mmCIF file of all heavy atoms in Angstrom:
data_model
loop_
_atom_site.group_PDB
_atom_site.id
_atom_site.type_symbol
_atom_site.label_atom_id
_atom_site.label_comp_id
_atom_site.label_asym_id
_atom_site.label_seq_id
_atom_site.Cartn_x
_atom_site.Cartn_y
_atom_site.Cartn_z
ATOM 1 N N LYS A 17 39.082 53.219 -75.060
ATOM 2 C CA LYS A 17 40.306 52.482 -74.711
ATOM 3 C C LYS A 17 41.344 52.469 -75.838
ATOM 4 O O LYS A 17 42.512 52.214 -75.600
ATOM 5 C CB LYS A 17 39.984 51.061 -74.200
ATOM 6 C CG LYS A 17 39.268 50.169 -75.186
ATOM 7 C CD LYS A 17 38.837 48.841 -74.567
ATOM 8 C CE LYS A 17 39.988 47.920 -74.254
ATOM 9 N NZ LYS A 17 39.525 46.528 -74.037
ATOM 10 N N PHE A 29 24.955 56.129 -61.318
ATOM 11 C CA PHE A 29 25.753 56.217 -60.095
ATOM 12 C C PHE A 29 26.677 57.436 -60.100
ATOM 13 O O PHE A 29 26.939 58.003 -59.051
ATOM 14 C CB PHE A 29 26.603 54.943 -59.915
ATOM 15 C CG PHE A 29 25.858 53.826 -59.260
ATOM 16 C CD1 PHE A 29 25.068 52.962 -59.996
ATOM 17 C CD2 PHE A 29 25.937 53.642 -57.886
ATOM 18 C CE1 PHE A 29 24.377 51.928 -59.390
ATOM 19 C CE2 PHE A 29 25.254 52.607 -57.262
ATOM 20 C CZ PHE A 29 24.469 51.746 -58.018
ATOM 21 N N ASP A 33 26.518 60.006 -57.019
ATOM 22 C CA ASP A 33 27.705 60.104 -56.165
ATOM 23 C C ASP A 33 28.360 61.472 -56.271
ATOM 24 O O ASP A 33 28.761 62.072 -55.258
ATOM 25 C CB ASP A 33 28.738 59.033 -56.547
ATOM 26 C CG ASP A 33 28.360 57.662 -56.020
ATOM 27 O OD1 ASP A 33 27.193 57.474 -55.644
ATOM 28 O OD2 ASP A 33 29.234 56.777 -55.987
ATOM 29 N N ARG A 36 26.293 64.266 -54.674
ATOM 30 C CA ARG A 36 26.384 64.225 -53.209
ATOM 31 C C ARG A 36 27.738 64.754 -52.724
ATOM 32 O O ARG A 36 27.819 65.459 -51.708
ATOM 33 C CB ARG A 36 26.122 62.796 -52.710
ATOM 34 C CG ARG A 36 24.654 62.391 -52.901
ATOM 35 C CD ARG A 36 24.454 60.892 -52.910
ATOM 36 N NE ARG A 36 24.493 60.323 -51.566
ATOM 37 C CZ ARG A 36 24.411 59.001 -51.333
ATOM 38 N NH1 ARG A 36 24.305 58.130 -52.346
ATOM 39 N NH2 ARG A 36 24.427 58.554 -50.102
ATOM 40 N N CYS A 37 28.814 64.436 -53.442
ATOM 41 C CA CYS A 37 30.138 64.993 -53.103
ATOM 42 C C CYS A 37 30.146 66.499 -53.306
ATOM 43 O O CYS A 37 30.664 67.246 -52.465
ATOM 44 C CB CYS A 37 31.218 64.416 -54.021
ATOM 45 S SG CYS A 37 31.865 62.865 -53.463
ATOM 46 N N ARG A 39 27.697 68.572 -53.232
ATOM 47 C CA ARG A 39 26.907 69.210 -52.173
ATOM 48 C C ARG A 39 27.653 69.180 -50.838
ATOM 49 O O ARG A 39 27.674 70.175 -50.107
ATOM 50 C CB ARG A 39 25.548 68.510 -52.065
ATOM 51 C CG ARG A 39 24.652 69.027 -50.973
ATOM 52 C CD ARG A 39 24.287 70.489 -51.166
ATOM 53 N NE ARG A 39 23.660 71.027 -49.956
ATOM 54 C CZ ARG A 39 24.319 71.460 -48.887
ATOM 55 N NH1 ARG A 39 25.639 71.444 -48.867
ATOM 56 N NH2 ARG A 39 23.675 71.921 -47.840
ATOM 57 N N THR A 40 28.279 68.050 -50.526
ATOM 58 C CA THR A 40 29.027 67.920 -49.274
ATOM 59 C C THR A 40 30.112 68.983 -49.157
ATOM 60 O O THR A 40 30.293 69.588 -48.104
ATOM 61 C CB THR A 40 29.674 66.519 -49.177
ATOM 62 O OG1 THR A 40 28.626 65.544 -49.181
ATOM 63 C CG2 THR A 40 30.517 66.361 -47.929
ATOM 64 N N TYR A 74 10.734 59.466 -50.890
ATOM 65 C CA TYR A 74 11.342 58.205 -50.473
ATOM 66 C C TYR A 74 12.695 58.446 -49.800
ATOM 67 O O TYR A 74 13.000 57.856 -48.770
ATOM 68 C CB TYR A 74 11.515 57.258 -51.665
ATOM 69 C CG TYR A 74 12.290 56.014 -51.319
ATOM 70 C CD1 TYR A 74 11.716 55.005 -50.546
ATOM 71 C CD2 TYR A 74 13.621 55.863 -51.715
ATOM 72 C CE1 TYR A 74 12.433 53.880 -50.197
ATOM 73 C CE2 TYR A 74 14.341 54.735 -51.359
ATOM 74 C CZ TYR A 74 13.753 53.743 -50.600
ATOM 75 O OH TYR A 74 14.468 52.638 -50.246
ATOM 76 N N THR A 77 17.310 62.943 -48.797
ATOM 77 C CA THR A 77 18.730 63.339 -48.797
ATOM 78 C C THR A 77 19.292 63.368 -50.218
ATOM 79 O O THR A 77 20.406 63.829 -50.431
ATOM 80 C CB THR A 77 19.611 62.398 -47.943
ATOM 81 O OG1 THR A 77 19.648 61.108 -48.558
ATOM 82 C CG2 THR A 77 19.068 62.263 -46.530
ATOM 83 N N PRO A 81 21.241 67.421 -53.231
ATOM 84 C CA PRO A 81 22.372 67.344 -54.170
ATOM 85 C C PRO A 81 21.925 67.374 -55.625
ATOM 86 O O PRO A 81 22.550 68.036 -56.453
ATOM 87 C CB PRO A 81 23.048 66.019 -53.829
ATOM 88 C CG PRO A 81 22.164 65.315 -52.876
ATOM 89 C CD PRO A 81 21.235 66.298 -52.285
ATOM 90 N N GLY A 163 48.713 56.488 -56.936
ATOM 91 C CA GLY A 163 48.510 55.247 -56.204
ATOM 92 C C GLY A 163 49.823 54.486 -56.108
ATOM 93 O O GLY A 163 50.862 54.966 -56.560
ATOM 94 N N ILE A 164 49.767 53.319 -55.476
ATOM 95 C CA ILE A 164 50.963 52.489 -55.355
ATOM 96 C C ILE A 164 51.009 51.569 -56.581
ATOM 97 O O ILE A 164 50.397 50.513 -56.610
ATOM 98 C CB ILE A 164 50.938 51.710 -54.026
ATOM 99 C CG1 ILE A 164 50.953 52.717 -52.862
ATOM 100 C CG2 ILE A 164 52.123 50.753 -53.934
ATOM 101 C CD1 ILE A 164 50.718 52.124 -51.506
ATOM 102 N N TYR A 166 49.469 51.778 -59.247
ATOM 103 C CA TYR A 166 48.150 51.540 -59.821
ATOM 104 C C TYR A 166 47.349 52.822 -59.704
ATOM 105 O O TYR A 166 47.272 53.385 -58.613
ATOM 106 C CB TYR A 166 47.434 50.410 -59.057
ATOM 107 C CG TYR A 166 46.046 50.072 -59.586
ATOM 108 C CD1 TYR A 166 45.878 49.133 -60.596
ATOM 109 C CD2 TYR A 166 44.920 50.716 -59.084
ATOM 110 C CE1 TYR A 166 44.616 48.838 -61.087
ATOM 111 C CE2 TYR A 166 43.654 50.431 -59.582
ATOM 112 C CZ TYR A 166 43.510 49.490 -60.574
ATOM 113 O OH TYR A 166 42.258 49.202 -61.070
ATOM 114 N N HIS A 168 43.886 53.521 -61.350
ATOM 115 C CA HIS A 168 42.686 53.384 -62.176
ATOM 116 C C HIS A 168 41.455 53.524 -61.296
ATOM 117 O O HIS A 168 40.635 52.624 -61.190
ATOM 118 C CB HIS A 168 42.675 52.030 -62.892
ATOM 119 C CG HIS A 168 43.871 51.810 -63.758
ATOM 120 N ND1 HIS A 168 43.994 52.375 -65.001
ATOM 121 C CD2 HIS A 168 45.009 51.120 -63.554
ATOM 122 C CE1 HIS A 168 45.155 52.031 -65.531
ATOM 123 N NE2 HIS A 168 45.797 51.262 -64.674
ATOM 124 N N LEU A 169 41.354 54.665 -60.642
ATOM 125 C CA LEU A 169 40.176 54.941 -59.830
ATOM 126 C C LEU A 169 38.970 55.169 -60.732
ATOM 127 O O LEU A 169 39.114 55.611 -61.864
ATOM 128 C CB LEU A 169 40.408 56.204 -58.994
ATOM 129 C CG LEU A 169 41.436 56.104 -57.879
ATOM 130 C CD1 LEU A 169 41.713 57.491 -57.306
ATOM 131 C CD2 LEU A 169 40.932 55.177 -56.783
ATOM 132 N N SER A 170 37.779 54.907 -60.222
ATOM 133 C CA SER A 170 36.570 55.303 -60.943
ATOM 134 C C SER A 170 36.479 56.819 -60.904
ATOM 135 O O SER A 170 37.059 57.465 -60.013
ATOM 136 C CB SER A 170 35.336 54.692 -60.279
ATOM 137 O OG SER A 170 35.077 55.344 -59.053
ATOM 138 N N ARG A 172 34.017 58.445 -60.031
ATOM 139 C CA ARG A 172 33.312 58.757 -58.776
ATOM 140 C C ARG A 172 34.294 58.916 -57.619
ATOM 141 O O ARG A 172 34.230 59.864 -56.832
ATOM 142 C CB ARG A 172 32.307 57.648 -58.447
ATOM 143 C CG ARG A 172 31.222 57.489 -59.487
ATOM 144 C CD ARG A 172 30.391 56.238 -59.261
ATOM 145 N NE ARG A 172 31.126 54.992 -59.530
ATOM 146 C CZ ARG A 172 31.379 54.528 -60.746
ATOM 147 N NH1 ARG A 172 30.961 55.166 -61.823
ATOM 148 N NH2 ARG A 172 32.063 53.410 -60.909
ATOM 149 N N SER A 173 35.235 57.965 -57.508
ATOM 150 C CA SER A 173 36.239 58.045 -56.441
ATOM 151 C C SER A 173 37.177 59.224 -56.664
ATOM 152 O O SER A 173 37.576 59.904 -55.710
ATOM 153 C CB SER A 173 37.054 56.751 -56.387
ATOM 154 O OG SER A 173 36.222 55.632 -56.197
ATOM 155 N N ILE A 177 37.960 62.368 -53.988
ATOM 156 C CA ILE A 177 39.294 62.676 -53.465
ATOM 157 C C ILE A 177 39.750 64.065 -53.897
ATOM 158 O O ILE A 177 40.285 64.837 -53.094
ATOM 159 C CB ILE A 177 40.306 61.586 -53.891
ATOM 160 C CG1 ILE A 177 39.933 60.262 -53.218
ATOM 161 C CG2 ILE A 177 41.734 61.996 -53.572
ATOM 162 C CD1 ILE A 177 40.649 59.045 -53.770
ATOM 163 N N ASP A 180 37.846 66.701 -51.925
ATOM 164 C CA ASP A 180 38.300 66.727 -50.535
ATOM 165 C C ASP A 180 39.658 67.429 -50.425
ATOM 166 O O ASP A 180 39.876 68.247 -49.535
ATOM 167 C CB ASP A 180 38.382 65.305 -50.001
ATOM 168 C CG ASP A 180 38.740 65.268 -48.521
ATOM 169 O OD1 ASP A 180 38.199 66.093 -47.757
ATOM 170 O OD2 ASP A 180 39.557 64.422 -48.123
ATOM 171 N N ARG A 181 40.558 67.103 -51.359
ATOM 172 C CA ARG A 181 41.893 67.715 -51.295
ATOM 173 C C ARG A 181 41.869 69.211 -51.622
ATOM 174 O O ARG A 181 42.630 69.983 -51.059
ATOM 175 C CB ARG A 181 42.850 67.008 -52.259
ATOM 176 C CG ARG A 181 43.213 65.601 -51.827
ATOM 177 C CD ARG A 181 44.319 65.067 -52.730
ATOM 178 N NE ARG A 181 44.653 63.668 -52.429
ATOM 179 C CZ ARG A 181 45.615 63.007 -53.065
ATOM 180 N NH1 ARG A 181 46.306 63.577 -54.016
ATOM 181 N NH2 ARG A 181 45.858 61.753 -52.738
ATOM 182 N N LYS B 17 16.465 52.708 -43.052
ATOM 183 C CA LYS B 17 16.120 54.120 -42.791
ATOM 184 C C LYS B 17 15.295 54.305 -41.525
ATOM 185 O O LYS B 17 15.205 55.405 -40.991
ATOM 186 C CB LYS B 17 15.452 54.767 -44.014
ATOM 187 C CG LYS B 17 14.148 54.129 -44.462
ATOM 188 C CD LYS B 17 13.644 54.728 -45.784
ATOM 189 C CE LYS B 17 13.147 56.145 -45.616
ATOM 190 N NZ LYS B 17 12.327 56.584 -46.783
ATOM 191 N N PHE B 29 28.665 48.313 -58.167
ATOM 192 C CA PHE B 29 29.524 49.501 -58.206
ATOM 193 C C PHE B 29 30.357 49.631 -56.935
ATOM 194 O O PHE B 29 31.474 50.121 -56.976
ATOM 195 C CB PHE B 29 28.675 50.768 -58.387
ATOM 196 C CG PHE B 29 28.351 51.061 -59.817
ATOM 197 C CD1 PHE B 29 27.254 50.484 -60.418
ATOM 198 C CD2 PHE B 29 29.150 51.914 -60.561
ATOM 199 C CE1 PHE B 29 26.944 50.754 -61.745
ATOM 200 C CE2 PHE B 29 28.852 52.190 -61.888
ATOM 201 C CZ PHE B 29 27.749 51.607 -62.483
ATOM 202 N N ASP B 33 34.345 49.988 -57.258
ATOM 203 C CA ASP B 33 34.945 51.263 -56.838
ATOM 204 C C ASP B 33 35.834 51.085 -55.618
ATOM 205 O O ASP B 33 36.935 51.639 -55.552
ATOM 206 C CB ASP B 33 33.849 52.288 -56.502
ATOM 207 C CG ASP B 33 33.239 52.902 -57.764
ATOM 208 O OD1 ASP B 33 33.410 52.315 -58.843
ATOM 209 O OD2 ASP B 33 32.590 53.958 -57.655
ATOM 210 N N ARG B 36 39.054 49.176 -56.391
ATOM 211 C CA ARG B 36 40.019 50.027 -57.102
ATOM 212 C C ARG B 36 40.668 51.033 -56.144
ATOM 213 O O ARG B 36 41.873 51.306 -56.236
ATOM 214 C CB ARG B 36 39.329 50.724 -58.280
ATOM 215 C CG ARG B 36 38.975 49.727 -59.396
ATOM 216 C CD ARG B 36 37.875 50.245 -60.313
ATOM 217 N NE ARG B 36 38.374 51.217 -61.274
ATOM 218 C CZ ARG B 36 37.594 51.857 -62.155
ATOM 219 N NH1 ARG B 36 36.293 51.639 -62.171
ATOM 220 N NH2 ARG B 36 38.109 52.704 -63.011
ATOM 221 N N CYS B 37 39.906 51.578 -55.220
ATOM 222 C CA CYS B 37 40.479 52.473 -54.197
ATOM 223 C C CYS B 37 41.441 51.714 -53.299
ATOM 224 O O CYS B 37 42.531 52.204 -52.985
ATOM 225 C CB CYS B 37 39.378 53.029 -53.294
ATOM 226 S SG CYS B 37 38.612 54.495 -53.937
ATOM 227 N N ARG B 39 43.125 49.048 -53.931
ATOM 228 C CA ARG B 39 44.351 48.732 -54.662
ATOM 229 C C ARG B 39 45.211 49.990 -54.845
ATOM 230 O O ARG B 39 46.436 49.944 -54.694
ATOM 231 C CB ARG B 39 43.984 48.112 -56.016
ATOM 232 C CG ARG B 39 45.143 47.774 -56.921
ATOM 233 C CD ARG B 39 46.100 46.783 -56.302
ATOM 234 N NE ARG B 39 47.340 46.708 -57.068
ATOM 235 C CZ ARG B 39 48.352 47.565 -56.942
ATOM 236 N NH1 ARG B 39 48.291 48.558 -56.077
ATOM 237 N NH2 ARG B 39 49.445 47.410 -57.674
ATOM 238 N N THR B 40 44.572 51.114 -55.168
ATOM 239 C CA THR B 40 45.298 52.374 -55.377
ATOM 240 C C THR B 40 46.094 52.757 -54.133
ATOM 241 O O THR B 40 47.245 53.168 -54.226
ATOM 242 C CB THR B 40 44.303 53.511 -55.722
ATOM 243 O OG1 THR B 40 43.651 53.177 -56.947
ATOM 244 C CG2 THR B 40 45.000 54.854 -55.862
ATOM 245 N N TYR B 74 38.912 41.943 -71.469
ATOM 246 C CA TYR B 74 38.248 43.165 -71.942
ATOM 247 C C TYR B 74 38.817 44.391 -71.230
ATOM 248 O O TYR B 74 39.067 45.424 -71.848
ATOM 249 C CB TYR B 74 36.735 43.080 -71.700
ATOM 250 C CG TYR B 74 36.035 44.380 -71.994
ATOM 251 C CD1 TYR B 74 35.869 44.808 -73.315
ATOM 252 C CD2 TYR B 74 35.572 45.193 -70.960
ATOM 253 C CE1 TYR B 74 35.255 46.010 -73.591
ATOM 254 C CE2 TYR B 74 34.958 46.401 -71.232
ATOM 255 C CZ TYR B 74 34.802 46.810 -72.549
ATOM 256 O OH TYR B 74 34.198 48.014 -72.814
ATOM 257 N N THR B 77 42.549 46.300 -66.228
ATOM 258 C CA THR B 77 42.764 47.156 -65.053
ATOM 259 C C THR B 77 41.783 46.820 -63.929
ATOM 260 O O THR B 77 41.926 47.302 -62.816
ATOM 261 C CB THR B 77 42.625 48.666 -65.377
ATOM 262 O OG1 THR B 77 41.262 48.955 -65.720
ATOM 263 C CG2 THR B 77 43.536 49.070 -66.516
ATOM 264 N N PRO B 81 42.590 44.859 -58.946
ATOM 265 C CA PRO B 81 41.838 45.226 -57.730
ATOM 266 C C PRO B 81 40.889 44.126 -57.281
ATOM 267 O O PRO B 81 40.771 43.871 -56.075
ATOM 268 C CB PRO B 81 41.071 46.486 -58.133
ATOM 269 C CG PRO B 81 41.248 46.649 -59.591
ATOM 270 C CD PRO B 81 42.420 45.865 -60.018
ATOM 271 N N GLY B 163 30.760 67.770 -44.006
ATOM 272 C CA GLY B 163 30.380 68.562 -45.169
ATOM 273 C C GLY B 163 29.834 69.902 -44.718
ATOM 274 O O GLY B 163 29.807 70.197 -43.523
ATOM 275 N N ILE B 164 29.427 70.699 -45.680
ATOM 276 C CA ILE B 164 28.846 71.998 -45.361
ATOM 277 C C ILE B 164 27.339 71.801 -45.186
ATOM 278 O O ILE B 164 26.580 71.807 -46.148
ATOM 279 C CB ILE B 164 29.184 73.019 -46.467
ATOM 280 C CG1 ILE B 164 30.710 73.183 -46.539
ATOM 281 C CG2 ILE B 164 28.502 74.354 -46.219
ATOM 282 C CD1 ILE B 164 31.211 73.967 -47.705
ATOM 283 N N TYR B 166 25.736 69.200 -44.765
ATOM 284 C CA TYR B 166 25.232 68.037 -45.502
ATOM 285 C C TYR B 166 26.289 66.958 -45.415
ATOM 286 O O TYR B 166 27.449 67.218 -45.706
ATOM 287 C CB TYR B 166 24.972 68.412 -46.968
ATOM 288 C CG TYR B 166 24.444 67.279 -47.818
ATOM 289 C CD1 TYR B 166 23.076 67.043 -47.931
ATOM 290 C CD2 TYR B 166 25.311 66.428 -48.503
ATOM 291 C CE1 TYR B 166 22.588 66.005 -48.700
ATOM 292 C CE2 TYR B 166 24.827 65.382 -49.274
ATOM 293 C CZ TYR B 166 23.466 65.183 -49.372
ATOM 294 O OH TYR B 166 22.978 64.149 -50.132
ATOM 295 N N HIS B 168 25.833 63.250 -46.586
ATOM 296 C CA HIS B 168 25.225 62.013 -47.062
ATOM 297 C C HIS B 168 25.990 61.511 -48.273
ATOM 298 O O HIS B 168 25.447 61.375 -49.362
ATOM 299 C CB HIS B 168 23.747 62.231 -47.410
ATOM 300 C CG HIS B 168 22.938 62.759 -46.282
ATOM 301 N ND1 HIS B 168 22.478 61.948 -45.269
ATOM 302 C CD2 HIS B 168 22.528 64.009 -45.984
ATOM 303 C CE1 HIS B 168 21.800 62.685 -44.399
ATOM 304 N NE2 HIS B 168 21.817 63.939 -44.806
ATOM 305 N N LEU B 169 27.278 61.280 -48.078
ATOM 306 C CA LEU B 169 28.092 60.727 -49.156
ATOM 307 C C LEU B 169 27.701 59.275 -49.401
ATOM 308 O O LEU B 169 27.244 58.588 -48.491
ATOM 309 C CB LEU B 169 29.565 60.775 -48.757
ATOM 310 C CG LEU B 169 30.222 62.151 -48.683
ATOM 311 C CD1 LEU B 169 31.609 62.014 -48.079
ATOM 312 C CD2 LEU B 169 30.295 62.781 -50.063
ATOM 313 N N SER B 170 27.910 58.792 -50.617
ATOM 314 C CA SER B 170 27.757 57.357 -50.860
ATOM 315 C C SER B 170 28.902 56.642 -50.149
ATOM 316 O O SER B 170 29.944 57.247 -49.874
ATOM 317 C CB SER B 170 27.827 57.064 -52.365
ATOM 318 O OG SER B 170 29.155 57.227 -52.822
ATOM 319 N N ARG B 172 30.787 54.575 -51.416
ATOM 320 C CA ARG B 172 31.913 54.576 -52.370
ATOM 321 C C ARG B 172 32.766 55.829 -52.205
ATOM 322 O O ARG B 172 33.997 55.764 -52.147
ATOM 323 C CB ARG B 172 31.382 54.502 -53.804
ATOM 324 C CG ARG B 172 30.601 53.244 -54.105
ATOM 325 C CD ARG B 172 29.887 53.310 -55.440
ATOM 326 N NE ARG B 172 28.770 54.249 -55.442
ATOM 327 C CZ ARG B 172 27.575 54.020 -54.897
ATOM 328 N NH1 ARG B 172 27.337 52.857 -54.309
ATOM 329 N NH2 ARG B 172 26.625 54.934 -54.954
ATOM 330 N N SER B 173 32.106 56.987 -52.122
ATOM 331 C CA SER B 173 32.842 58.247 -51.949
ATOM 332 C C SER B 173 33.500 58.302 -50.573
ATOM 333 O O SER B 173 34.627 58.782 -50.439
ATOM 334 C CB SER B 173 31.891 59.443 -52.094
ATOM 335 O OG SER B 173 31.256 59.432 -53.346
ATOM 336 N N ILE B 177 37.580 58.871 -49.758
ATOM 337 C CA ILE B 177 38.107 59.987 -48.963
ATOM 338 C C ILE B 177 38.805 59.473 -47.694
ATOM 339 O O ILE B 177 39.883 59.936 -47.336
ATOM 340 C CB ILE B 177 36.972 60.981 -48.623
ATOM 341 C CG1 ILE B 177 36.488 61.646 -49.917
ATOM 342 C CG2 ILE B 177 37.427 62.014 -47.602
ATOM 343 C CD1 ILE B 177 35.192 62.429 -49.774
ATOM 344 N N ASP B 180 42.169 57.944 -48.621
ATOM 345 C CA ASP B 180 43.113 58.993 -49.013
ATOM 346 C C ASP B 180 43.630 59.735 -47.778
ATOM 347 O O ASP B 180 44.820 59.989 -47.645
ATOM 348 C CB ASP B 180 42.438 59.968 -49.980
ATOM 349 C CG ASP B 180 43.409 61.011 -50.507
ATOM 350 O OD1 ASP B 180 44.556 60.642 -50.826
ATOM 351 O OD2 ASP B 180 43.035 62.190 -50.595
ATOM 352 N N ARG B 181 42.706 60.050 -46.845
ATOM 353 C CA ARG B 181 43.139 60.779 -45.651
ATOM 354 C C ARG B 181 43.997 59.938 -44.719
ATOM 355 O O ARG B 181 44.909 60.450 -44.074
ATOM 356 C CB ARG B 181 41.911 61.276 -44.870
ATOM 357 C CG ARG B 181 41.166 62.409 -45.582
ATOM 358 C CD ARG B 181 40.100 62.970 -44.668
ATOM 359 N NE ARG B 181 39.288 63.989 -45.317
ATOM 360 C CZ ARG B 181 38.319 64.661 -44.695
ATOM 361 N NH1 ARG B 181 38.051 64.420 -43.414
ATOM 362 N NH2 ARG B 181 37.626 65.569 -45.340
#
Side-chain angles (χ1 to χ4, degrees):
Chain A
K17 61 187 290 197
F29 276 85
D33 283 16
R36 290 159 78 184
C37 275
R39 178 62 192 82
T40 298
Y74 173 73
T77 67
I164 298 171
Y166 180 88
H168 302 281
L169 291 171
S170 72
R172 298 170 290 283
S173 303
I177 294 167
D180 185 42
R181 290 188 184 182
Chain B
K17 61 187 289 196
F29 275 86
D33 282 18
R36 290 159 78 183
C37 274
R39 178 60 192 82
T40 298
Y74 172 72
T77 67
I164 298 170
Y166 180 89
H168 303 281
L169 290 172
S170 72
R172 298 170 290 283
S173 302
I177 293 168
D180 185 42
R181 289 188 184 183

